[in-house]
């Protein structure tokens, strides 16, 4: 909680603007190295977000700082027999949403984000190991603003966790703002 508190305090002045706090839930499907480590296990994630419309500064743009995490449950490691691996992240990222129509309350948008991700990879069984590392992460995709408070998007994600593990995959997310 100590890590999240400064971000929440920093967001308080935004309440006087058109900012909106929200929650995001997502389902992720790993690809590449991450898929091999987790045996294609689907993962879940979530985040607390703050939507900050840029208004007159840049019509059709929304900044969205977030704090969240991902969890991929214990899956068989395809390279190591009898080894199961769990992957988790803690994310602090800044997303940018662009609505080509200029209307941020409805319609299609492009999304891109960059930030820090703290990865924890825990393997148990025949070859037990645990390592934690903080790396840059990025993702990009397309979405649709269904109502002024609900959006859904599909995006790809990427992070160079270690020389032997590049995390990549596809994420389906839904965000509700209040």
């Amino acid at each position: 909680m100590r890590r999240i508190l400064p971000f929440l305090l920093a967001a308080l002045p935004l309440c006087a603007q058109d900012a909106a706090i929200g929650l995001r839930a997502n389902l992720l499907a790993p690809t590449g190295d991450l898929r091999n480590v987790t045996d294609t296990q689907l993962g879940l994630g979530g985040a607390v977000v703050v939507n900050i419309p840029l208004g007159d500064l840049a019509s059709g743009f929304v900044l969205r700082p977030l704090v969240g995490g991902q969890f991929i449950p214990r899956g068989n490691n395809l390279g190591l027999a009898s080894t199961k691996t769990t992957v988790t992240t803690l994310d602090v990222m800044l997303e940018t949403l662009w609505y080509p129509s200029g209307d941020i309350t409805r319609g299609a948008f492009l999304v891109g984000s960059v930030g820090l991700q703290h990865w924890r990879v825990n393997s148990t069984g025949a070859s037990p190991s645990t390592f934690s590392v903080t790396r840059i992460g990025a993702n990009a995709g397309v979405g649709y603003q269904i109502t002024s408070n609900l959006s859904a998007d599909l995006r790809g994600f990427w992070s160079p966790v270690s020389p032997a593990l590049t995390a990549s995959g596809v994420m389906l997310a839904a965000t509700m703002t209040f």
Side-chain angles (χ1 to χ4, degrees), residues 1-10 66-68 88-92 116-120 132-134:
M1 187 65 181
R2 289 184 190 181
R3 292 180 182 171
I4 297 173
L5 188 59
F7 292 103
L8 293 176
L9 290 175
L66 68 88
V67 175
T88 58
T89 70
L90 175 63
D91 309 332
V92 178
L116 295 176
Q117 293 184 298
H118 181 78
W119 290 88
R120 180 175 170 84
S132 295
V133 65
T134 300

Side-chain angles (χ1 to χ4, degrees), residues 95-175:
E95 295 183 343
T96 302
L97 288 74
W98 176 55
Y99 296 80
S101 69
D103 182 4
I104 64 171
T105 63
R106 190 168 302 260
F109 62 86
L110 297 175
V111 61
S113 66
V114 66
L116 295 176
Q117 293 184 298
H118 181 78
W119 290 88
R120 180 175 170 84
V121 180
N122 183 28
S123 298
T124 59
S127 297
S129 69
T130 298
F131 78 90
S132 295
V133 65
T134 300
R135 295 286 187 253
I136 194 163
N139 60 63
V142 296
Y144 194 82
Q145 190 73 38
I146 301 164
T147 69
S148 60
N149 296 1
L150 178 64
S151 67
D153 60 75
L154 179 67
R155 60 179 83 185
F157 66 90
W158 172 88
S159 181
V161 178
S162 72
L165 177 61
T166 299
S168 61
V170 178
M171 182 185 313
L172 178 62
T175 304

Side-chain angles (χ1 to χ4, degrees), residues 27-47:
L27 179 67
L28 60 103
T31 62
D33 297 340
L34 192 56
R35 187 183 94 207
N36 293 338
V37 169
T38 62
D39 191 22
T40 67
Q41 285 283 340
L42 293 179
L44 299 173

